[in-house]
Amino acid sequence: MNIGEASTASGVSAKMIRYYEEIGLIAPKGRTQSNYRIYGEDEVHVLRFIKRARSLGFSLEETETLLKLWQDKSRTSASVKDIATTHINDLERRIAEMESMVKTLKHLSHCCGGNNRPDCPILDDLAGEQPASGEHSAAGP
Amino acid sequence: MNIGEASTASGVSAKMIRYYEEIGLIAPKGRTQSNYRIYGEDEVHVLRFIKRARSLGFSLEETETLLKLWQDKSRTSASVKDIATTHINDLERRIAEMESMVKTLKHLSHCCGGNNRPDCPILDDLAGEQPASGEHSAAGP
DNA sequence: GTAAGGCTTCCCATCATGGGAAGGTCAAGG
DNA sequence: CCTTGACCTTCCCATGATGGGAAGCCTTAC
């Protein structure tokens, strides 16, 4: 299997397969005489593992750790769960941040006429002018 | 006001002020004879505007547009609201993506013993092996 | 006058991914 | 046998927003 076939089989682009090799995540089984990378089923399996981990939001660094644990038969499930838990906390923190943004933006949008006139509470907020209806912005309850 | 003072007054790092200048977001009022950047209250106001927009998750490109609208007295509030609405939708899409990740991860973590044994449903999922308790992963209802 | 600290520009790194160029290789068809 | 098109190789560059750091000039306080 060359890189194009491995790409199709795994759903990972050839470009990314080469990059993952560069950072030490996965190596081809070998090379042909003409220097083409050769992959087998094992490598495709690893690529799918990486893809799935990425789709769950793990960084490549975390993915590397998970990959090593996967291949280490003497791992403990606790070590895997730790990584997952840390990642869940990170995701939840980021979700909370974005939800706070959405909340503020929705409030401002709600107050914005969205018409042909120039007066706009969204711009007022960005400009730091609190025009009467204070409650949003940095001033929480 | 030199760049350090403008940085303190606005909360934007000197590094970023120079970068924002490079990409055309803000220019200093002038330069001293010794080539130091000079800022006034107006520039600090712009920097605060940028900082607030960034804290609401707007990209620098969106921020630039908002900044131009702010400075354009003949703007319509509808044009501002459009940008905000698009941004809200984008945030909500990303939140939903991450929530889906969290949901899957929590399910897997819940099923993981987190003990000294090697068997781990998290790794099983990443490896693409669905061991009996199917319901999560790509297989939705 | 000198030392400390601030300013300038320039280059590099991050993280994960894609684009594209230049050149070698393989397979199919004439 | 040769061509053509599709594929492979490596190498460089770009993204977005931010920080780190070096080399050299300037200002301010002592």
Side-chain angles (χ1 to χ4, degrees):
Chain A
M1 210 174 351
N2 63 26
I3 201 170
E5 292 162 333
S7 170
T8 303
S10 65
V12 178
S13 75
K15 211 86 184 183
M16 277 303 101
I17 296 176
R18 293 194 195 97
Y19 176 63
Y20 294 160
E21 178 180 349
E22 194 188 325
I23 63 172
L25 267 191
I26 183 175
K29 206 164 52 177
R31 296 268 187 154
T32 67
Q33 281 187 322
S34 54
N35 206 31
Y36 282 24
R37 288 168 178 83
I38 305 172
Y39 299 94
E41 289 305 323
D42 287 356
E43 284 76 27
V44 170
H45 204 170
V46 170
L47 288 171
R48 287 212 198 94
F49 183 102
I50 295 171
K51 193 184 180 192
R52 175 77 178 139
R54 294 286 303 130
S55 82
L56 288 176
F58 288 106
S59 69
L60 285 180
E61 198 177 354
E62 287 165 331
T63 301
E64 186 181 11
T65 307
L66 290 168
L67 204 43
K68 282 178 183 160
L69 287 170
W70 183 42
Q71 288 154 349
D72 175 8
K73 295 306 177 197
S74 69
R75 72 189 166 240
T76 64
S77 68
S79 56
V80 181
K81 194 170 182 172
D82 277 357
I83 295 171
T85 302
T86 301
H87 181 46
I88 289 170
N89 291 338
D90 189 50
L91 284 170
E92 291 193 322
R93 186 184 46 72
R94 284 154 57 194
I95 288 170
E97 265 178 27
M98 290 196 288
E99 277 178 344
S100 163
M101 293 174 185
V102 166
K103 188 183 168 195
T104 302
L105 287 165
K106 281 192 168 173
H107 172 70
L108 293 172
S109 278
H110 180 71
C111 295
C112 173
N115 52 31
N116 287 328
R117 285 187 295 142
D119 53 299
C120 175
I122 301 171
L123 290 180
D124 288 346
D125 179 282
L126 293 173
E129 305 151 15
Q130 272 79 12
S133 71
E135 180 220 329
H136 55 297
S137 191
Chain B
M1 211 174 349
N2 62 28
I3 200 169
E5 291 161 334
S7 170
T8 302
S10 66
V12 177
S13 76
K15 211 87 183 182
M16 279 302 100
I17 296 176
R18 293 193 196 97
Y19 176 63
Y20 294 160
E21 179 180 346
E22 193 187 326
I23 64 173
L25 267 191
I26 183 173
K29 205 165 49 175
R31 295 267 188 155
T32 67
Q33 281 189 322
S34 55
N35 207 31
Y36 281 25
R37 290 169 178 83
I38 306 172
Y39 300 94
E41 289 305 323
D42 288 355
E43 285 74 28
V44 169
H45 204 170
V46 169
L47 288 170
R48 287 213 198 93
F49 183 102
I50 296 172
K51 194 185 180 193
R52 176 75 178 142
R54 295 286 304 129
S55 83
L56 288 176
F58 289 106
S59 70
L60 285 182
E61 198 177 354
E62 289 164 328
T63 301
E64 187 182 9
T65 307
L66 290 169
L67 205 43
K68 282 176 184 161
L69 288 170
W70 183 41
Q71 287 156 349
D72 175 9
K73 296 305 176 196
S74 69
R75 72 193 167 237
T76 64
S77 68
S79 57
V80 180
K81 194 169 181 173
D82 276 358
I83 295 172
T85 302
T86 301
H87 181 46
I88 289 170
N89 290 339
D90 189 51
L91 283 170
E92 290 192 322
R93 187 184 47 71
R94 284 153 56 194
I95 288 170
E97 266 179 26
M98 290 197 288
E99 276 176 345
S100 163
M101 292 176 185
V102 166
K103 187 183 168 193
T104 302
L105 287 166
K106 280 193 168 173
H107 172 72
L108 292 172
S109 278
H110 180 72
C111 296
C112 173
N115 52 32
N116 287 327
R117 285 186 295 143
D119 53 300
C120 175
I122 302 172
L123 290 179
D124 289 346
D125 178 282
L126 293 173
E129 305 151 14
Q130 272 79 12
S133 71
E135 180 222 326
H136 55 297
S137 195

